[in-house]
């Protein structure tokens, strides 16, 4: 993996914008589904269709709650530069790039692949407190920390 300069604040803002976009999309889906459920005409299948739509709305509302939790948790992620891995660190290893923040998973930023992971994830727990040059093994995969931002 070639060394590239990453601006952690840009990555932080990008993750926040991805969460905000997902929240907005989900709100629109919920509103659309609510509108559609109001427009259902009384037919023999009326009750079952309405029940299915209510279940769909319930599931989307749960997802929306989870996304709002991510947004709140992301607000706690500081942008300080540190030498040791902690919440808010951008960790570059010889295998991948990890942003210790919220559990958003894989994302691409400026053409590079990153993983936004929670500080509670096994990977983050393994790396916590480590610094550049430290090595670790998780799930039989050996990695070396190249840089901590």
């Amino acid at each position: 993996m070639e060394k590239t300069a990453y601006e952690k604040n840009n990555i932080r803002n990008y993750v926040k914008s991805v969460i905000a976009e997902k929240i907005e999309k989900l709100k629109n889906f919920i509103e659309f589904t609510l509108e559609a459920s109001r427009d259902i005409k009384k037919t023999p299948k009326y009750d079952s269709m309405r029940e299915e739509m209510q279940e769909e709305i319930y599931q989307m509302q749960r997802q929306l709650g989870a996304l709002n939790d991510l947004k709140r948790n992301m607000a706690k992620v500081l942008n300080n530069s540190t030498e040791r891995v902690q919440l808010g660190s951008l960790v570059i290893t010889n295998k991948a790039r990890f942003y210790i923040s919220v559990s958003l998973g894989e994302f691409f930023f400026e053409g590079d692949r990153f993983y936004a992971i929670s500080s509670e994830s096994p990977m983050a727990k393994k790396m916590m407190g480590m610094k550049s040059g430290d090595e670790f093994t998780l799930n039989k995969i050996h990695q070396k920390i190249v840089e901590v931002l």
Side-chain angles (χ1 to χ4, degrees):
M1 210 178 287
E2 67 182 61
K3 186 159 167 97
T4 310
Y6 296 106
E7 183 57 50
K8 188 167 66 168
N9 193 46
N10 293 344
I11 293 169
R12 181 176 185 265
N13 289 338
Y14 179 77
V15 168
K16 288 171 87 172
S17 73
V18 167
I19 294 169
E21 285 173 23
K22 287 181 179 222
I23 288 171
E24 200 52 43
K25 249 185 220 171
L26 205 47
K27 283 181 179 178
N28 289 338
F29 281 140
I30 291 170
E31 187 56 39
F32 176 79
T33 307
L34 281 169
E35 291 282 322
S37 73
R38 289 186 203 112
D39 292 344
I40 296 175
K41 304 287 183 253
K42 292 254 184 203
T43 65
K45 293 184 179 180
Y46 171 78
D47 287 336
S48 66
M49 284 174 61
R50 227 177 136 86
E51 208 171 285
E52 283 180 36
M53 290 180 107
Q54 281 305 119
E55 180 60 30
E56 189 69 29
I57 290 167
Y58 172 72
Q59 293 299 331
M60 286 190 285
Q61 287 171 332
R62 285 185 49 210
Q63 289 176 348
L64 185 59
L67 284 170
N68 281 320
D69 286 346
L70 283 183
K71 184 178 177 181
R72 269 191 301 281
N73 290 339
M74 198 56 208
K76 297 174 191 171
V77 176
L78 301 176
N79 202 34
N80 304 341
S81 188
T82 60
E83 288 184 16
R84 295 194 175 270
V85 178
Q86 65 180 31
L87 180 65
S89 292
L90 177 60
V91 183
I92 314 297
T93 72
N94 61 327
K95 304 253 194 254
R97 300 167 195 91
F98 300 97
Y99 182 46
I100 316 293
S101 54
V102 295
S103 183
L104 190 62
E106 179 184 68
F107 68 95
F108 289 86
F109 181 75
E110 295 181 355
D112 289 322
R113 178 184 310 202
F114 290 84
Y115 296 93
I117 61 174
S118 159
S119 59
E120 297 301 310
S121 71
M123 178 65 76
K125 283 183 175 182
K126 191 79 172 176
M127 292 189 293
M128 282 298 176
M130 291 185 166
K131 61 186 182 327
S132 286
D134 288 349
E135 299 182 25
F136 65 95
T137 302
L138 182 68
N139 297 330
K140 298 179 184 170
I141 298 171
H142 187 78
Q143 296 189 57
K144 181 178 182 175
I145 296 175
V146 176
E147 191 174 7
V148 178
L149 301 167

